[in-house]
Amino acid sequence: MSESTQKQQASNAELEALVATADTGGRNPTGPVGKFLAGVALVWALFQIWIASPLPYIIGVGVFNSTETRSIHLAFAIFLAFTAFPAGKKSPRHYVPAMDWILAIVAAGSSAYLYVFYDSISSRPGNPNSVDIAIACIGIILLLLATVRALGAPLAVVAGVFLLYCFGGQSMPGILAWKGASFGAVADNQWLSTDGVFGVPLGVSTQFVFLFVLFGALLDKAGAGNYFIKIAFASLGHLRGGPAKAAVVASAMTGLISGSSIANVVTTGTFTIPMMKRVGFSAEKAGAVEVASSVNGQLMPPVMGAAAFLMATSLDMAYFDVVTHAFVPAIISYIALVYIVHLEAMKADLKGLPRRSEPSPLLVFVFRFLAGFGAIAAVGFAVYYGLGWLKPIAGAGSSWIVGLLLAGVYVWLAKSCSAYPDLEIDDPNAKIVELPELGPTVKSGLHYILPVVVLVWCLMVERLSPALSAFWATALMIVILLTQRPLFAFFRKGSDVKEKLKQGYDELIEGLISGARNMIGIGIATAAAGIIVGAVSLTGVGLVLAELVEIMSMGNVLLMLMLTAVLSLILGMGLPTTANYIVVSSLLAPVIVELGQQNGLIVPLIAVHLFVFYFGIMADVTPPVGLASFAAAAVSGGDPIKTGFVAFFYCLRTAALPFLFIFNTDLLLIDVTWVQGIFVFIMATIAILVFAASTQGYFFARSRWYESVLLLLIAFTLFRPGFWMDMVSPRYDMVGPAQIEQLKDTPVGLDMRMTIIGENEAGSEREFVIILPVGEGSTGMEKLESSGLTIIKDESGNYIVDDVGYDSVAQAAGLDFDQQILKIWVPVDHLPKELMYIPAFLVLGLIIVIQRRRNKLGSDKGEDALNAAAAGNA
C-alpha cells in the first residue's frame, strides 16, 4: 500500500470519526453488543414507521397517543445516547462500560415511565406523588448528562440555568424575581406534563422529523447522494471554477436529504474540495465554498434541518405554507453562492475540467436551469400542475391511479437506467480527472426522483400531514432499496438476481439503522430544549426577557434584531441548529413582534422565526467553534480558522437576507399573487447577485471602492424599494382620531393603521400599532363599525375603544376594550414603490458600462504588452 493511499485512508477515518462524534456517536462496538445496539436502532426506526403509518388505525392494534409516542421516542434516543456517545475523550470506543449500561437503562426507564404508567399519571393531573417526583428528578438529571455527551455542555448549561431559575426565582434581583416553585410543581411541569421535556419540540421530533431524516438516510443509502454529486459535476464542472459551482449545487441537493452541516461537508467535500484545489482554488477557499454551500443545505425546503416542522407546529401553520415562505430566500441564497464562486474564478482566471464529450445544448440548458432554480421546485410544479387535475376528477381513487402510474413508471425507469453502468464513487485524489458524461449520468438514476414526486403529491395535492406524506415517500424508498438492484440485474440479463436482492435488503437495514443513529442528537436536543420551554411557561420569564431586551435595544427594532442575531450566533456555537432555533424563537420571537408593533412595523411571526433560524445556521460557520469549517479544513488541509472566516465572508448574503425579509415580507411570498411572486423572485435574484458583486469587490472588472458602495445601495434598493419611496411619496396620512371622517373616501379592503395605547400580557402599558382593513360604509365611523370596532370620546377628549365585535376583524387585529387611540394612519394615493427600480437600474447600467470599458482597456494593454515582449524577443 502506497504512502499516499495510507494518508488518504487515515484522513477518511478522521472525517468519519468527526461526523460520528457530532452526529451519530463516536462509539461503535463490535460483536454481539454491536449487533444488539444496531437492533435497538432498527426497532426504533420500525416503531417510528409504524406510528406514522395508517396501519394501526386500520387494524386497531398498536395505537398510541402523542404522550405515549413521545415517551417511547425519548426512551430510544436516551438509551442510544449513553451507549453510542462516549463520556469523554478517554472513554472506550469499542465497547460499552458497565456504568454506561446502567445509565442507559435507568434513563430509558425514566423516559418510558410516562408510557408504562400513563393511566395512573393522567388520573392525578398536577398532583404528583413521591415516586413521580423521584422519577422526574432522575430523568432530568440523566437527560442533561445525555445532552452533554451527544451535543456538548452548552445546551445542558443553558437548560440547567433555567431549571435553577424555576426553584430560586425568589432570590433573583429586580424584575427577574418570582415566587419560585416546589419540586413537585417543577416535576409535574417538566416531566409529567406536555409543557416541558415531553412538549412540542419533542413531539415534532417524534411525529415529523424522524421520518424525514429516515427518508434522507434511505435515499442516500440507495445511491442518490452520489447521483446528485455526479449530475452537478457533469452539468457544471466544465465552467470557470466548475468544481466549486458543482459543489454548491451538489450540496444544495444533498441538503435535501441531510439535516447536518457537518455530514454535508464530509459527504460532498471529500469529492469536491480536492477538485476545487486542482483547478486553482486555495485550500481555505475550497473548504470555505464547501462549508458555505453545505451549511445552506439546511435552508433548503422541504426538510430545512427539521426547523420547518417546528415552525409549522409552533406557529400553528400548514407545513406547506412554511415551505412556501422559506423557498425564495433559500433559492436566491444558493444562486448568489454560485455567482460568488464565478466571481472568484474570474478574479483568479480559473478554468474548468475537461469533458469526455459535448452533450446536447437542450440537455445542458435544462440542467443549468434546474441547478439555478431548484430541481425540487421544478418537480413540485410538475406534480402539482401535471397530476393535480386527477384529484378533482377521480376523487378518492386518485391515489390508487397515481400508485399504479408510479409502479409502471418505476419499472420503466429501472429498465431505462439499467442500460447505463452504476455510478461509482470516484477517487478525488486520482491524477487524471475527467467529468462524467451528462446524458448517461442523468439517465442512470432518474428513479430517485419518484420518492420526491410522492412526497410532493402527498403534501401539495392530497394535503396529507407531513408525517403521513413522509411515510408514503419512505415506503416507496423501501420498495426501491429492495428492488432496484434485482431489477437492474434482471434487465441486464444477469444471473445474480438473488444476490442483488440480498444486497438490497442489507442496504435497507443499514439505512434504517443509519437514520435512527442520525436521530439520536435531534431527539436529545428537542427534549433538552423542552426544559427551557417548560421553564419559560412556568415562570413567565419570557415577559421579563422582553423588558430586558427592550431596555438594551432602547426600543429600536434594528438594534433588537442585531442583538437577536448575535445571541443566535453565540448560542449556535454550542447548540445544534434545531435546539438553537427552539431556544431563541421561544424567548425572542414574541419580543421582536411586540417591538415592531411599537415602532409601526408589523412583523409576521414566520419572518421572525426564519430570522432566528438563519442566524442559528450561521453559527456552524462562525469561528472559533464552527465545526463545519473544521471538517472542511480536515479535507482541504487548510487552516480551519481561516477557512471559517472566508466561509463567513461568503455567507454574508445569508446574514443579510433575514434583515431584508423582516422589512420586506414580499421575499417570503406573504400576501402576494403568483405573478407578483415571480416578479419578486426575479428582482430578489438580481439584487442578491448585485450584493454578492459588491461584497466580492468584482463585477465585470475589479470594483473601485465607490463602485462597491453604489452596488450595495443598488442591491438595497432592489430588495426594499419602499424605503426610499416612502420618503418621496408616503403611503399614509397620520391624523388624530378626531379626523376619522377622512376614512370615508378610502376604498374598502385597504389596510389602515392605528397607534394604540393598551396593556400587554404582563399588565404594563405600551404604545403599539395595529393594522385594520377598511370596512364598508358611507362615513368614517361606519367603516370602523363594519370592521367590528366602536369608539367613543371620553370626558378628557381621548378616543377610547368602547366595543369590539366577537370574532371580528377588529378583534383579530388586536383591539380590545378601553384601549386609547392616539393616531389613525389613513391610506392615501401614493406612487408605486417599483418606480425606484428605474434609477437603480440606470446606475447599475452605468457601472456595467464603466467596468466593461475598463476591462477591455486592461485586456488591450495586456495584449500590447505581450506583442511588445514578442517583438523584443524577435
Side-chain angles (χ1 to χ4, degrees), residues 4 22 80 121 141 231 277 297 374 413 488 492 587 591 597 613 677 726 822 855:
S4 61
L80 290 172
I121 294 170
I141 291 170
I231 285 182
K277 290 172 66 179
L413 285 177
F488 283 10
R492 290 168 181 167
L587 293 178
V591 183
Q597 277 191 314
F613 176 58
D726 287 347
L822 291 182
N855 206 11

Side-chain angles (χ1 to χ4, degrees), residues 503-840:
Q503 183 181 352
Y505 173 78
D506 292 340
E507 289 175 344
L508 170 61
I509 298 300
E510 290 172 9
L512 292 171
I513 294 170
S514 175
R517 290 198 65 155
N518 288 338
M519 270 301 300
I520 299 172
I522 296 175
I524 297 297
T526 50
I531 294 176
I532 300 166
V533 176
V536 171
S537 68
L538 178 66
T539 63
V541 70
L543 296 173
V544 175
L545 287 175
E547 290 186 34
L548 285 175
V549 171
E550 184 176 355
I551 292 170
M552 291 175 64
S553 63
M554 296 174 289
N556 185 286
V557 178
L558 187 59
L559 186 55
M560 166 69 210
L561 291 172
M562 290 180 178
L563 288 171
T564 305
V566 172
L567 179 62
S568 299
L569 281 174
I570 293 171
L571 285 174
M573 289 181 187
L575 273 62
T577 306
T578 307
N580 184 10
Y581 163 73
I582 295 169
V583 173
V584 184
S585 64
S586 61
L587 293 178
L588 294 180
V591 183
I592 296 174
V593 173
E594 184 171 330
L595 274 180
Q597 277 191 314
Q598 293 177 22
N599 287 267
L601 178 67
I602 309 300
V603 185
L605 259 179
I606 180 65
V608 180
H609 280 246
L610 283 172
F611 180 94
V612 169
F613 176 58
Y614 266 58
F615 279 99
I617 287 174
M618 287 288 291
D620 278 344
V621 180
T622 311
V625 180
L627 291 178
S629 299
F630 279 86
V635 180
S636 68
D639 178 72
I641 300 298
K642 187 176 179 182
T643 300
F645 278 113
V646 177
F648 183 81
F649 189 65
Y650 288 162
C651 287
L652 282 177
R653 80 223 183 279
T654 305
L657 279 172
F659 286 96
L660 294 167
F661 60 58
I662 285 286
F663 293 98
N664 180 12
T665 56
D666 288 353
L667 287 172
L668 301 180
L669 302 181
I670 295 176
D671 296 329
V672 297
T673 64
W674 277 104
V675 175
Q676 291 172 327
I678 293 170
F679 181 75
V680 166
F681 174 77
I682 293 171
M683 298 309 298
T685 302
I686 296 172
I688 200 71
L689 295 180
V690 174
F691 178 81
S694 171
T695 57
Q696 289 300 112
Y698 195 99
F699 195 22
F700 285 85
R702 291 192 182 276
S703 299
R704 308 276 167 79
W705 69 267
Y706 55 86
E707 291 173 339
S708 293
V709 172
L710 284 174
L711 288 173
L712 199 59
L713 287 173
I714 292 167
F716 176 77
T717 303
L718 296 179
F719 270 124
R720 199 183 168 211
F723 178 81
W724 306 111
M725 186 54 74
D726 287 347
M727 297 180 183
V728 177
S729 177
R731 290 179 295 161
Y732 297 97
D733 182 15
M734 266 193 240
V735 299
Q739 283 79 46
I740 190 67
E741 286 308 313
Q742 288 194 21
L743 279 174
K744 67 180 181 178
D745 298 323
T746 305
V748 175
L750 281 185
D751 287 339
M752 60 173 287
R753 298 187 177 199
M754 288 183 174
T755 303
I756 304 290
I757 291 181
E759 293 183 350
N760 61 13
E761 294 179 5
S764 301
E765 193 172 82
R766 66 187 179 110
E767 183 179 312
F768 61 98
V769 176
I770 58 99
I771 293 179
L772 183 68
V774 175
E776 297 179 349
S778 57
T779 67
M781 197 63 75
E782 287 178 0
K783 286 177 181 286
L784 289 184
E785 289 175 353
S786 67
S787 298
L789 175 64
T790 302
I791 61 175
I792 59 170
K793 186 177 180 180
D794 66 8
E795 297 176 354
S796 303
N798 298 321
Y799 284 80
I800 307 297
V801 175
D802 183 54
D803 186 31
V804 177
Y806 175 73
D807 201 27
S808 64
V809 175
Q811 188 183 56
L815 288 161
D816 206 349
F817 297 100
D818 293 332
Q819 290 175 338
Q820 181 184 345
I821 300 174
L822 291 182
K823 297 175 186 174
I824 295 177
W825 305 30
V826 181
V828 295
D829 291 333
H830 60 280
L831 296 173
K833 63 183 179 181
E834 288 77 14
L835 287 177
M836 294 307 301
Y837 292 147
I838 296 174

Side-chain angles (χ1 to χ4, degrees), residues 427-495:
D427 178 9
N429 292 287
K431 292 184 179 179
I432 300 174
V433 177
E434 193 177 49
L435 293 174
E437 295 184 64
L438 181 58
T441 302
V442 170
K443 295 173 185 175
S444 66
L446 285 172
H447 60 295
Y448 295 132
I449 298 174
L450 293 180
V452 181
V453 170
V454 170
L455 187 62
V456 173
W457 168 269
C458 292
L459 286 172
M460 297 178 65
V461 181
E462 293 289 339
R463 293 298 176 113
L464 301 179
S465 68
L468 196 54
S469 301
F471 165 76
W472 288 117
T474 302
L476 180 57
M477 272 311 310
I478 291 172
V479 171
I480 289 175
L481 270 166
L482 289 173
T483 60
Q484 66 171 348
R485 296 190 185 281
L487 280 174
F488 283 10
F490 173 77
F491 288 124
R492 290 168 181 167
K493 296 182 171 52
S495 58

